[in-house]
Amino acid sequence: MEASSRKRGVRPWEPEATMRSKRRNSSRGQGRCHDEGRHREREDNVEPAGRDTFQAKTIRNREAVPPGAPNLPGNGTVKKKRRVLHSVIDKVFNWNNLKSASRKVVRNKGSAGVDGMNVKQWQAKEEQHLQELRWRLIQDTYRSKPVLRCYIPKPGSAKQRPLGIPAVVDRACQQATHNVLSPVFEEYFHEDSHGFRPGRSTKTAAKRVEALHKQGYNYAVDLDIKGFFDHVDFEILMKLVGQVVKDRRVLGLIRGWLKAGVMEEGNIRYTTSGTPQGGVISPLLSNVYLTPLDNALTEAGYQFVRYADDVVILCRSEEEAAGALHYVRTVLDRLKLELNEEKTSTRTFKEGFDFLGFRFTNRGRHIAGKSLLALYGKVREITKRQQGDKPVTAVIRVLNPLLLGWGNYHQEGRNVGMFNHLDTWIRKRLRSYIYKRWRTFRWPGVNKPDREEFKRMGLFSLRTILRPDQLQLKLSPAPQ
């Protein structure tokens, strides 16, 4: 048998089926027609399956960014093969997925949408609402409601930021879809994108800026995209999403949320661009939309850090910074976005620049002026004197969560002196509040509350975040 196999030119370890297949293919190849060259040319033009991934498509998309090969993340390593979702609607209306999404919506609280149902009302009949939502998703009869327009103060500005509040049922459906899509899109997002992603935050973005500064990147191009959430183009966004998600029903859900309309003062207005700030799915879609920008910057050789629509490009020279700014304008133009020229600037670390509420200088990371002013305003509002007979301990209970959250955000950095100053100022505010209620012209010496008295009242001190009163590690009692 082995000798006969060698005579036929077949490897002896190949199975008999493989031998027959090779003989059949070789016999077919002998009778090719005269236009063999044309067929071979057509086959050579076909790209191998699996090469055209989401990042490659987003770079080549003629309505998105210039051509390039964006398959490398920020650290220059090649990622594993990325998935494409062909049928995922069954995972969206999976009962366990809907329950998990509903619990997260209830945990995040939030106000009611256009239907007037708040989170407590939803929670009271959660099983019934979820069964109805699941049935509508199965029957393909689910239709999203318009979002309710409201405005919140914009920190550091007299303007107001518009929010779109979806109905609770739409929030639950968006969260269920987000649970399914987010892990897959995570494989495509850039390493230097830190906004609304698991395991990443503003602190990781700030550390990345500091690491690049240590590597010699002394120029920072601070980009401000003009009205990003209001100018996201629906068609470009759906093309980008459609390169990963092939399920037409899931694509229909996303398109329905984008085109649901906005209710403001009783009137419904439909838009052709923008994603409403306040929607559960909006942060994921914003990252999808700006991934072509990330890939284009990497392909051009620029180092950057992005958190949602806040982008800073780190450069080694002023000429490189000017080139980066020009390149970004070209890419954003094809994404149908533009820069806010008044807020976009090029700074050095010696001059200092603000990013994500931090102030970066040659000396390190500090607190940005807008963040500090915002804290002053909130503390003044909580400790204002015109609050009737409200005891100071009740004021402290309202004040503590604000101080704890703000202090933890700015825990890293050179902020010891500022934290001590803020502690002193907050105690003065509380003493003024007590003085107003006592209606006296001077402090009684024995009743003037000092630092220890406020500590007994439960006032949180920012200094304790950086320098705890007690050591965390002890081997033995301290010597007397």
Side-chain angles (χ1 to χ4, degrees):
M1 175 67 184
E2 183 176 352
S4 62
S5 299
R6 289 171 182 166
K7 290 181 181 179
R8 292 195 302 265
V10 181
R11 296 181 180 89
W13 57 83
E14 289 186 339
E16 187 65 24
T18 306
M19 298 177 186
R20 291 196 300 267
S21 176
K22 284 192 173 184
R23 289 197 298 268
R24 185 164 56 245
N25 293 337
S26 62
S27 63
R28 289 178 180 175
Q30 295 174 359
R32 290 182 177 173
C33 56
H34 65 277
D35 57 349
E36 176 184 0
R38 187 173 67 232
H39 287 286
R40 183 178 300 158
E41 181 181 356
R42 186 183 305 169
E43 291 174 359
D44 292 341
N45 290 334
V46 178
E47 293 188 3
R51 180 184 297 177
D52 209 2
T53 60
F54 169 76
Q55 289 190 341
K57 281 187 175 181
T58 54
I59 284 293
R60 289 198 302 276
N61 192 323
R62 64 176 180 271
E63 295 192 23
V65 294
N71 290 320
L72 294 179
N75 55 9
T77 59
V78 179
K79 286 189 174 182
K80 62 181 182 180
K81 185 178 180 180
R82 301 175 177 90
R83 291 177 288 173
V84 175
L85 301 177
H86 292 279
S87 179
V88 289
I89 188 63
D90 58 323
K91 298 178 178 63
V92 173
F93 61 66
N94 178 274
W95 181 252
N96 292 331
N97 183 39
L98 290 176
K99 285 283 292 182
S100 173
S102 179
R103 285 195 297 267
K104 191 165 186 178
V105 169
V106 171
R107 188 165 58 249
N108 291 338
K109 300 180 180 179
S111 57
V114 294
D115 57 356
M117 179 186 297
N118 56 34
V119 173
K120 290 184 178 179
Q121 294 172 337
W122 167 271
Q123 191 176 14
K125 298 181 179 180
E126 184 180 24
E127 295 284 335
Q128 178 182 343
H129 293 312
L130 286 180
Q131 289 176 359
E132 181 181 353
L133 173 61
R134 185 171 186 269
W135 179 251
R136 288 162 60 189
L137 287 173
I138 293 174
Q139 297 297 318
D140 199 13
T141 59
Y142 167 81
R143 299 295 181 270
S144 59
K145 299 179 176 63
V147 297
L148 182 63
R149 175 70 77 203
C150 67
Y151 295 89
I152 60 173
K154 196 171 184 179
S157 174
K159 300 180 180 179
Q160 289 188 318
R161 175 173 294 163
L163 291 182
I165 303 176
V168 180
V169 62
D170 293 333
R171 273 181 262 169
C173 189
Q174 289 184 20
Q175 185 63 55
T177 307
H178 184 278
N179 292 345
V180 176
L181 299 185
S182 179
V184 179
F185 276 107
E186 277 295 318
E187 301 173 3
Y188 296 93
F189 290 156
H190 199 280
E191 290 294 320
D192 286 325
S193 171
H194 297 262
F196 308 108
R197 297 180 59 188
R200 300 168 186 265
S201 62
T202 55
K203 291 185 178 181
T204 61
K207 289 180 180 178
R208 178 61 176 162
V209 172
E210 293 176 328
L212 290 173
H213 179 223
K214 292 179 180 178
Q215 296 175 19
Y217 293 88
N218 295 317
Y219 288 81
V221 183
D222 188 8
L223 305 178
D224 186 272
I225 302 177
K226 188 175 182 180
F228 169 71
F229 286 94
D230 296 330
H231 294 90
V232 171
D233 187 85
F234 289 167
E235 297 306 319
I236 295 179
L237 177 58
M238 292 307 300
K239 285 181 181 178
L240 297 175
V241 175
Q243 292 168 11
V244 177
V245 182
K246 305 298 182 180
D247 193 321
R248 65 169 186 83
R249 293 180 61 182
V250 175
L251 293 175
L253 289 177
I254 298 175
R255 188 179 292 274
W257 292 323
L258 292 174
K259 296 188 175 182
V262 179
M263 177 176 283
E264 185 174 5
E265 297 179 353
N267 299 319
I268 299 179
R269 177 172 53 87
Y270 297 95
T271 60
T272 58
S273 63
T275 60
Q277 289 183 264
V280 179
I281 202 74
S282 295
L284 176 64
L285 297 180
S286 66
N287 278 332
V288 170
Y289 199 83
L290 288 178
T291 295
L293 174 63
D294 301 342
N295 297 329
L297 289 172
T298 300
E299 178 66 16
Y302 294 113
Q303 297 288 345
F304 70 96
V305 179
R306 182 174 67 83
Y307 188 94
D309 60 328
D310 294 324
V311 189
V312 60
I313 305 175
L314 283 304
C315 303
R316 296 182 184 272
S317 64
E318 188 174 358
E319 293 77 13
E320 183 183 357
L325 187 58
H326 175 74
Y327 184 73
V328 166
R329 288 194 181 100
T330 303
V331 177
L332 291 182
D333 183 63
R334 299 186 182 182
L335 283 170
K336 298 186 179 180
L337 299 172
E338 59 179 341
L339 293 175
N340 188 339
E341 300 297 340
E342 297 180 358
K343 297 183 179 180
T344 299
S345 61
T346 301
R347 300 289 183 88
T348 63
F349 277 84
K350 184 177 181 180
E351 297 171 337
F353 65 95
D354 294 345
F355 182 59
L356 301 177
F358 303 111
R359 180 75 176 177
F360 294 94
T361 65
N362 275 337
R363 298 182 58 192
R365 191 197 321 174
H366 307 271
I367 304 172
K370 290 184 179 179
S371 180
L372 196 59
L373 290 176
L375 177 68
Y376 279 132
K378 292 177 181 178
V379 172
R380 287 191 179 99
E381 179 64 24
I382 294 174
T383 60
K384 61 181 180 182
R385 303 173 188 178
Q386 296 79 14
Q387 299 189 54
D389 293 333
K390 187 176 182 178
V392 66
T393 53
V395 176
I396 291 175
R397 283 196 298 269
V398 177
L399 187 62
N400 279 343
L402 170 65
L403 300 179
L404 180 61
W406 190 89
N408 284 330
Y409 188 87
H410 293 284
Q411 181 179 7
E412 300 174 0
R414 303 172 61 91
N415 302 321
V416 176
M418 179 57 68
F419 277 21
N420 284 331
H421 167 75
L422 290 173
D423 280 341
T424 302
W425 177 74
I426 290 169
R427 288 193 294 267
K428 288 182 178 180
R429 292 287 305 179
L430 292 175
R431 290 191 188 104
S432 298
Y433 178 82
I434 298 172
Y435 174 83
K436 180 69 175 180
R437 294 181 67 241
W438 281 3
R439 300 178 185 277
T440 59
F441 291 100
R442 62 181 181 178
W443 283 104
V446 295
N447 291 327
K448 181 179 179 179
D450 56 5
R451 181 191 306 176
E452 294 300 324
E453 180 64 23
F454 281 120
K455 186 176 180 180
R456 285 191 291 270
M457 293 181 186
L459 178 64
F460 178 76
S461 174
L462 293 171
R463 184 184 63 84
T464 59
I465 296 179
L466 304 178
R467 295 185 298 183
D469 292 336
Q470 296 182 353
L471 296 177
Q472 300 298 318
L473 298 177
K474 292 184 179 179
L475 297 178
S476 60
Q480 301 295 329

